[in-house]
Amino acid sequence: MDRPEYPTALGASDLKTITLLGHDLAEDVMGTVGFGELAFWLATQRRPAPGEVRVFEAVLAALADHGFTPTAIVTRLTYLSAPDSIQGALAAGLLGGGSRFLGVTEDSGRFLHDVLSSVDGELPCDDGGWDALALATVKAQREARRFVPGLGHHVHKEGDPRTPRLMQIATEEGLFGPHLSLFAAIGRVHPQVLGKTLPLNGAGVCGAALADLGLPLELLRGFALLARTAGLIGQLAEELRRPVGNEIFLSVDLNNRSVAPEPYTDGGPRG
Amino acid sequence: MDRPEYPTALGASDLKTITLLGHDLAEDVMGTVGFGELAFWLATQRRPAPGEVRVFEAVLAALADHGFTPTAIVTRLTYLSAPDSIQGALAAGLLGGGSRFLGVTEDSGRFLHDVLSSVDGELPCDDGGWDALALATVKAQREARRFVPGLGHHVHKEGDPRTPRLMQIATEEGLFGPHLSLFAAIGRVHPQVLGKTLPLNGAGVCGAALADLGLPLELLRGFALLARTAGLIGQLAEELRRPVGNEIFLSVDLNNRSVAPEPYTDGGPRG
Amino acid sequence: MDRPEYPTALGASDLKTITLLGHDLAEDVMGTVGFGELAFWLATQRRPAPGEVRVFEAVLAALADHGFTPTAIVTRLTYLSAPDSIQGALAAGLLGGGSRFLGVTEDSGRFLHDVLSSVDGELPCDDGGWDALALATVKAQREARRFVPGLGHHVHKEGDPRTPRLMQIATEEGLFGPHLSLFAAIGRVHPQVLGKTLPLNGAGVCGAALADLGLPLELLRGFALLARTAGLIGQLAEELRRPVGNEIFLSVDLNNRSVAPEPYTDGGPRG
Amino acid sequence: MDRPEYPTALGASDLKTITLLGHDLAEDVMGTVGFGELAFWLATQRRPAPGEVRVFEAVLAALADHGFTPTAIVTRLTYLSAPDSIQGALAAGLLGGGSRFLGVTEDSGRFLHDVLSSVDGELPCDDGGWDALALATVKAQREARRFVPGLGHHVHKEGDPRTPRLMQIATEEGLFGPHLSLFAAIGRVHPQVLGKTLPLNGAGVCGAALADLGLPLELLRGFALLARTAGLIGQLAEELRRPVGNEIFLSVDLNNRSVAPEPYTDGGPRG
């Protein structure tokens, strides 16, 4: 019986050479390919054009760090508790990158993609067309009592500064595609349906831009996690120089109030 | 401005005493409360009866270890790569405890609970009544082209030995409740609908039994993870004495075949 | 070329049976073997005697939960941020089980074991002999300016209630072995050397007891992590019913004060 | 009592603006700052010069992916087992980034830094001087029966192609500092001491280059993990398109051979 073989187009090496994505790592990649460019290339196995790299790196910058998010607090507390394992502190922080926080990027990209995929025939070719599609989309979500991913922000109620900036960069690079077009239209028309004006948030516009770059929708959350890894290293570096983890821990623990246990009972049938 | 207070009914301590669940840890818990009993108590804040502990520990035994599962391989490879961090090796293994493997326990418990919650009036009081409910349930899933969680097994095609045993233990302890009753009925009636006989699998019966114990449905996966933690410690202990991680790694890597990159293109609209 | 074979004495299965540790899982383990007993058995591949199980489970109870530790806060914040992944919330919490918090159990067990291994000939047979060994041990640590693992506690300055209780249980079960004997002696003699009386802490006595049980020293941290897994499930269960994660997050984030960046410069030589 | 305040120089936001590292994120960072540049800036709170970015990104490229390493296998198997959690699959892979694999980068940087810090007065100013320091260093390690971190490679026995390339890039950018100088000298002189010629490996030269860039030594492993995060996303992207995880799992599991349990006994004293 044969042993299985596992092909890969990523890294490989032999006695004298190392290849990455089919290129000589030392000669053709090191010193030549930027890190954002490489990350894009690894995810798509297609070398991106400079404009694609600029949009992609703008997205990574937008998602890298937002201060004391749960992921940042988790990384600092895990480092406090297990300073012997940097990998554990980073991994713990990334585990917070789920549906509620980083998930919006992925949800927005998927949502826009699904709407576009449902269009029969040609996609709209002007703002009027996009507005009509956006209006139908927002109405359908409203009727289904579902939110429109990427709409609304708890702090930037009057507008998320990342949104117009990323749209501008995508336009400059000729990468303002159908996902961003639909997202922008949703921003224009939703007040007619919802009766109030909500901001298009940064996570949402990042999802739209990543989808327009043709990146795998299943991995949009992964790019947010890549950006956040750089941010969490920044959090650890700051924690090393100006620690606050122990103070955060004590601010919770010192307030610890013991209360009487309260038996759990779920509402379900118990025969 | 006040500092927030965070109440807990779990562990608390002061200069002279440590309490857990409102009891004196040293005097009333240590040496008196078994570990399975304690885990149940911590999850429900209700001390279980001996029969409940027996059923609960039978479930944990059923889920503790299944040999070289992906979670076991992951823990061994992570220990190979980072032997300095036992916590990392265990955490990495637990991260495989998601929808596909350990998730069946949770999915089955939730599914059965949802069906029972949808019943108007009294639940069935005899096998005939449970069979009727099960028949309607399986038909509805079939029409919706959905699987019935807990039905089928890739190895134990003629029956999973854990299933009758756990049902027997629950019966002995007077804890064969509505979730197990419905699950058993599904085992009796599904051939009429599906045209073939599938086994009721061990993960499914564990989910039904945990739900009959009144444990939080949102955490059924958590109990499977607790059981697996003990199993992964066993995997690490064996790896320490009879290592195979490096051989597993090499069996994959030596077969590494570099192939030409293949640009990713998703099927979606690109304007 | 042959395919490699990976032997294991843990879980295995075929069409009709599932074995665990060489026994029939359904018939001989489920309903018969407690969870603490099973965890011990998995780690040692030796079935423990009832007294060993009682001491082992007393250790697990002592380490299961200490309220709002960093690990508990991390699990709650990760669940807040990624409620879709219970395994991620538990894994993130366990990643805090490193050198500083749970590590004391392992460090104490290893330290005592190393001292005992360095003894030429017979181990002491009475308190006088243990005191002499302990005195030499504490002096050597003092001269090397090293701490004695397991000595001292930031809260229980007058004594950790878990320590005498666990020693009592071990004595009742005839399992008060050399590690506990040396640890107890260190508690008696250290004031002569250090000039002050420090408590023998709970993590330290747990490490001594686990070592006397003959459990693998490399995995002592693993047993602390197993105990903590049960505690973290309790934390999640409480978070589901009485959430505080968001309040903890906001108490940190609302205090977020942006300050000017401060370039990092390490003290090292820069040519 | 006041609530604590936690200062940070990383991300912060208010109603209208978001700042990162003291700059306006949307206007001054997005579209302007590359991802490698941003990661360096976050870790040091100092904006790197273009040459520093080029060396830094060359290091990240060198460490991004090495094919089917344990970390890559772990990420693919975790995704197989829990496809609902991309963050879990990435975190699990990163947890393998410990002492044995990615640790060499950190160990080399720290080792070189310690040697340089121990030099009284001026550092060497020519190859002769560096060779003398390197000779003394290798001799000292040999006498202490310790390895020289960064020396030797299991595949690239005749030389790691990344090493001369990274040294060339650092030279081109005027960033060939004392760590690289000492590392290069170790490559020249070690055969006189060890009696055989070993290659300077890629992980080692990366550690030397990162140390010459003045990055925090405690976080050198973190940069290897950042690079690897991009590689693991590439592994996941490939797994999505050409899955091998299940085949890898089965190649281990199908070879599963149950053997008799073998009681654990450590060599230690047992009273």
Side-chain angles (χ1 to χ4, degrees), chain C residues 144-162:
Chain C
R145 303 182 166 288
R146 285 193 300 263
F147 290 109
V148 176
L151 203 54
H153 195 287
H154 64 294
V155 173
H156 308 298
K157 300 183 191 303
E158 299 175 13
D160 186 321
R162 296 170 295 181

PDB file of all heavy atoms in Angstrom, chain C residues 144-162:
ATOM      1  N   ALA C 144      21.462  30.353  47.594  1.00  0.00           N
ATOM      2  CA  ALA C 144      21.396  30.544  46.136  1.00  0.00           C
ATOM      3  C   ALA C 144      20.434  31.671  45.777  1.00  0.00           C
ATOM      4  O   ALA C 144      20.168  31.902  44.594  1.00  0.00           O
ATOM      5  CB  ALA C 144      20.954  29.246  45.468  1.00  0.00           C
ATOM      6  N   ARG C 145      19.905  32.344  46.829  1.00  0.00           N
ATOM      7  CA  ARG C 145      18.945  33.438  46.601  1.00  0.00           C
ATOM      8  C   ARG C 145      17.759  32.983  45.752  1.00  0.00           C
ATOM      9  O   ARG C 145      17.293  33.698  44.867  1.00  0.00           O
ATOM     10  CB  ARG C 145      19.640  34.626  45.933  1.00  0.00           C
ATOM     11  CG  ARG C 145      20.821  35.147  46.726  1.00  0.00           C
ATOM     12  CD  ARG C 145      21.462  36.368  46.059  1.00  0.00           C
ATOM     13  NE  ARG C 145      22.372  37.044  46.983  1.00  0.00           N
ATOM     14  CZ  ARG C 145      21.973  37.771  48.044  1.00  0.00           C
ATOM     15  NH1 ARG C 145      20.664  37.879  48.301  1.00  0.00           N
ATOM     16  NH2 ARG C 145      22.847  38.351  48.825  1.00  0.00           N
ATOM     17  N   ARG C 146      17.329  31.749  46.000  1.00  0.00           N
ATOM     18  CA  ARG C 146      16.149  31.238  45.294  1.00  0.00           C
ATOM     19  C   ARG C 146      15.022  31.022  46.287  1.00  0.00           C
ATOM     20  O   ARG C 146      15.267  30.704  47.454  1.00  0.00           O
ATOM     21  CB  ARG C 146      16.467  29.918  44.589  1.00  0.00           C
ATOM     22  CG  ARG C 146      17.306  30.064  43.330  1.00  0.00           C
ATOM     23  CD  ARG C 146      17.293  28.766  42.524  1.00  0.00           C
ATOM     24  NE  ARG C 146      17.829  27.654  43.298  1.00  0.00           N
ATOM     25  CZ  ARG C 146      19.096  27.222  43.204  1.00  0.00           C
ATOM     26  NH1 ARG C 146      19.938  27.823  42.379  1.00  0.00           N
ATOM     27  NH2 ARG C 146      19.515  26.223  43.943  1.00  0.00           N
ATOM     28  N   PHE C 147      13.799  31.195  45.802  1.00  0.00           N
ATOM     29  CA  PHE C 147      12.638  30.929  46.638  1.00  0.00           C
ATOM     30  C   PHE C 147      12.461  29.432  46.839  1.00  0.00           C
ATOM     31  O   PHE C 147      12.975  28.631  46.064  1.00  0.00           O
ATOM     32  CB  PHE C 147      11.360  31.484  45.994  1.00  0.00           C
ATOM     33  CG  PHE C 147      11.302  32.978  45.988  1.00  0.00           C
ATOM     34  CD1 PHE C 147      11.440  33.700  44.804  1.00  0.00           C
ATOM     35  CD2 PHE C 147      11.119  33.680  47.186  1.00  0.00           C
ATOM     36  CE1 PHE C 147      11.377  35.084  44.807  1.00  0.00           C
ATOM     37  CE2 PHE C 147      11.055  35.067  47.185  1.00  0.00           C
ATOM     38  CZ  PHE C 147      11.192  35.765  45.997  1.00  0.00           C
ATOM     39  N   VAL C 148      11.737  29.072  47.878  1.00  0.00           N
ATOM     40  CA  VAL C 148      11.298  27.689  48.056  1.00  0.00           C
ATOM     41  C   VAL C 148       9.882  27.599  47.482  1.00  0.00           C
ATOM     42  O   VAL C 148       8.969  28.239  48.001  1.00  0.00           O
ATOM     43  CB  VAL C 148      11.281  27.291  49.546  1.00  0.00           C
ATOM     44  CG1 VAL C 148      10.731  25.863  49.708  1.00  0.00           C
ATOM     45  CG2 VAL C 148      12.672  27.397  50.139  1.00  0.00           C
ATOM     46  N   PRO C 149       9.702  26.843  46.369  1.00  0.00           N
ATOM     47  CA  PRO C 149       8.365  26.761  45.765  1.00  0.00           C
ATOM     48  C   PRO C 149       7.320  26.260  46.763  1.00  0.00           C
ATOM     49  O   PRO C 149       7.587  25.318  47.523  1.00  0.00           O
ATOM     50  CB  PRO C 149       8.546  25.752  44.629  1.00  0.00           C
ATOM     51  CG  PRO C 149      10.007  25.758  44.328  1.00  0.00           C
ATOM     52  CD  PRO C 149      10.676  26.018  45.643  1.00  0.00           C
ATOM     53  N   GLY C 150       6.166  26.910  46.765  1.00  0.00           N
ATOM     54  CA  GLY C 150       5.089  26.469  47.642  1.00  0.00           C
ATOM     55  C   GLY C 150       5.055  27.167  48.987  1.00  0.00           C
ATOM     56  O   GLY C 150       4.147  26.934  49.788  1.00  0.00           O
ATOM     57  N   LEU C 151       6.031  28.030  49.229  1.00  0.00           N
ATOM     58  CA  LEU C 151       6.111  28.752  50.501  1.00  0.00           C
ATOM     59  C   LEU C 151       5.643  30.197  50.282  1.00  0.00           C
ATOM     60  O   LEU C 151       6.170  30.891  49.418  1.00  0.00           O
ATOM     61  CB  LEU C 151       7.562  28.730  50.997  1.00  0.00           C
ATOM     62  CG  LEU C 151       7.858  28.919  52.488  1.00  0.00           C
ATOM     63  CD1 LEU C 151       7.081  27.937  53.352  1.00  0.00           C
ATOM     64  CD2 LEU C 151       9.368  28.742  52.719  1.00  0.00           C
ATOM     65  N   GLY C 152       4.615  30.597  51.056  1.00  0.00           N
ATOM     66  CA  GLY C 152       4.119  31.966  50.959  1.00  0.00           C
ATOM     67  C   GLY C 152       2.824  32.069  50.181  1.00  0.00           C
ATOM     68  O   GLY C 152       2.560  31.268  49.272  1.00  0.00           O
ATOM     69  N   HIS C 153       1.972  33.034  50.578  1.00  0.00           N
ATOM     70  CA  HIS C 153       0.708  33.267  49.880  1.00  0.00           C
ATOM     71  C   HIS C 153       0.308  34.727  50.092  1.00  0.00           C
ATOM     72  O   HIS C 153       0.441  35.243  51.192  1.00  0.00           O
ATOM     73  CB  HIS C 153      -0.388  32.331  50.401  1.00  0.00           C
ATOM     74  CG  HIS C 153      -1.583  32.256  49.504  1.00  0.00           C
ATOM     75  ND1 HIS C 153      -2.504  33.279  49.384  1.00  0.00           N
ATOM     76  CD2 HIS C 153      -1.992  31.275  48.661  1.00  0.00           C
ATOM     77  CE1 HIS C 153      -3.441  32.919  48.519  1.00  0.00           C
ATOM     78  NE2 HIS C 153      -3.149  31.714  48.060  1.00  0.00           N
ATOM     79  N   HIS C 154      -0.172  35.375  49.015  1.00  0.00           N
ATOM     80  CA  HIS C 154      -0.452  36.821  49.109  1.00  0.00           C
ATOM     81  C   HIS C 154      -1.716  37.128  49.906  1.00  0.00           C
ATOM     82  O   HIS C 154      -1.877  38.225  50.412  1.00  0.00           O
ATOM     83  CB  HIS C 154      -0.523  37.432  47.704  1.00  0.00           C
ATOM     84  CG  HIS C 154      -1.648  36.914  46.868  1.00  0.00           C
ATOM     85  ND1 HIS C 154      -1.700  35.591  46.436  1.00  0.00           N
ATOM     86  CD2 HIS C 154      -2.766  37.507  46.405  1.00  0.00           C
ATOM     87  CE1 HIS C 154      -2.801  35.421  45.732  1.00  0.00           C
ATOM     88  NE2 HIS C 154      -3.471  36.552  45.700  1.00  0.00           N
ATOM     89  N   VAL C 155      -2.606  36.145  50.045  1.00  0.00           N
ATOM     90  CA  VAL C 155      -3.838  36.378  50.817  1.00  0.00           C
ATOM     91  C   VAL C 155      -3.806  35.625  52.157  1.00  0.00           C
ATOM     92  O   VAL C 155      -3.979  36.221  53.214  1.00  0.00           O
ATOM     93  CB  VAL C 155      -5.092  35.951  50.021  1.00  0.00           C
ATOM     94  CG1 VAL C 155      -6.341  36.047  50.899  1.00  0.00           C
ATOM     95  CG2 VAL C 155      -5.255  36.821  48.782  1.00  0.00           C
ATOM     96  N   HIS C 156      -3.529  34.322  52.083  1.00  0.00           N
ATOM     97  CA  HIS C 156      -3.595  33.481  53.282  1.00  0.00           C
ATOM     98  C   HIS C 156      -2.293  33.553  54.061  1.00  0.00           C
ATOM     99  O   HIS C 156      -1.595  32.551  54.227  1.00  0.00           O
ATOM    100  CB  HIS C 156      -3.924  32.041  52.889  1.00  0.00           C
ATOM    101  CG  HIS C 156      -5.133  31.924  52.021  1.00  0.00           C
ATOM    102  ND1 HIS C 156      -6.389  32.314  52.445  1.00  0.00           N
ATOM    103  CD2 HIS C 156      -5.290  31.515  50.749  1.00  0.00           C
ATOM    104  CE1 HIS C 156      -7.260  32.112  51.469  1.00  0.00           C
ATOM    105  NE2 HIS C 156      -6.619  31.635  50.432  1.00  0.00           N
ATOM    106  N   LYS C 157      -1.975  34.748  54.568  1.00  0.00           N
ATOM    107  CA  LYS C 157      -0.671  34.972  55.196  1.00  0.00           C
ATOM    108  C   LYS C 157      -0.508  34.169  56.486  1.00  0.00           C
ATOM    109  O   LYS C 157       0.602  33.862  56.905  1.00  0.00           O
ATOM    110  CB  LYS C 157      -0.477  36.471  55.471  1.00  0.00           C
ATOM    111  CG  LYS C 157      -0.528  37.325  54.206  1.00  0.00           C
ATOM    112  CD  LYS C 157      -0.256  38.782  54.501  1.00  0.00           C
ATOM    113  CE  LYS C 157      -0.571  39.658  53.288  1.00  0.00           C
ATOM    114  NZ  LYS C 157       0.209  39.244  52.078  1.00  0.00           N
ATOM    115  N   GLU C 158      -1.635  33.842  57.105  1.00  0.00           N
ATOM    116  CA  GLU C 158      -1.550  33.095  58.376  1.00  0.00           C
ATOM    117  C   GLU C 158      -1.765  31.603  58.184  1.00  0.00           C
ATOM    118  O   GLU C 158      -1.929  30.841  59.142  1.00  0.00           O
ATOM    119  CB  GLU C 158      -2.571  33.646  59.368  1.00  0.00           C
ATOM    120  CG  GLU C 158      -2.342  35.112  59.691  1.00  0.00           C
ATOM    121  CD  GLU C 158      -3.426  35.683  60.587  1.00  0.00           C
ATOM    122  OE1 GLU C 158      -4.217  34.897  61.163  1.00  0.00           O
ATOM    123  OE2 GLU C 158      -3.493  36.919  60.706  1.00  0.00           O
ATOM    124  N   GLY C 159      -1.812  31.174  56.902  1.00  0.00           N
ATOM    125  CA  GLY C 159      -2.002  29.752  56.657  1.00  0.00           C
ATOM    126  C   GLY C 159      -3.073  29.512  55.609  1.00  0.00           C
ATOM    127  O   GLY C 159      -4.130  30.146  55.639  1.00  0.00           O
ATOM    128  N   ASP C 160      -2.782  28.620  54.682  1.00  0.00           N
ATOM    129  CA  ASP C 160      -3.713  28.286  53.617  1.00  0.00           C
ATOM    130  C   ASP C 160      -4.529  27.085  54.093  1.00  0.00           C
ATOM    131  O   ASP C 160      -3.968  26.022  54.377  1.00  0.00           O
ATOM    132  CB  ASP C 160      -2.911  27.936  52.350  1.00  0.00           C
ATOM    133  CG  ASP C 160      -3.790  27.714  51.140  1.00  0.00           C
ATOM    134  OD1 ASP C 160      -4.885  27.116  51.282  1.00  0.00           O
ATOM    135  OD2 ASP C 160      -3.381  28.141  50.038  1.00  0.00           O
ATOM    136  N   PRO C 161      -5.845  27.245  54.221  1.00  0.00           N
ATOM    137  CA  PRO C 161      -6.652  26.166  54.800  1.00  0.00           C
ATOM    138  C   PRO C 161      -6.593  24.854  54.020  1.00  0.00           C
ATOM    139  O   PRO C 161      -6.875  23.786  54.570  1.00  0.00           O
ATOM    140  CB  PRO C 161      -8.075  26.747  54.796  1.00  0.00           C
ATOM    141  CG  PRO C 161      -8.060  27.854  53.799  1.00  0.00           C
ATOM    142  CD  PRO C 161      -6.660  28.409  53.817  1.00  0.00           C
ATOM    143  N   ARG C 162      -6.196  24.916  52.741  1.00  0.00           N
ATOM    144  CA  ARG C 162      -6.143  23.687  51.947  1.00  0.00           C
ATOM    145  C   ARG C 162      -4.992  22.784  52.380  1.00  0.00           C
ATOM    146  O   ARG C 162      -5.054  21.560  52.231  1.00  0.00           O
ATOM    147  CB  ARG C 162      -5.999  24.035  50.460  1.00  0.00           C
ATOM    148  CG  ARG C 162      -7.201  24.781  49.905  1.00  0.00           C
ATOM    149  CD  ARG C 162      -6.925  25.321  48.518  1.00  0.00           C
ATOM    150  NE  ARG C 162      -5.868  26.333  48.533  1.00  0.00           N
ATOM    151  CZ  ARG C 162      -5.449  26.985  47.454  1.00  0.00           C
ATOM    152  NH1 ARG C 162      -5.973  26.702  46.266  1.00  0.00           N
ATOM    153  NH2 ARG C 162      -4.520  27.906  47.556  1.00  0.00           N
TER     154      ARG C 162
END
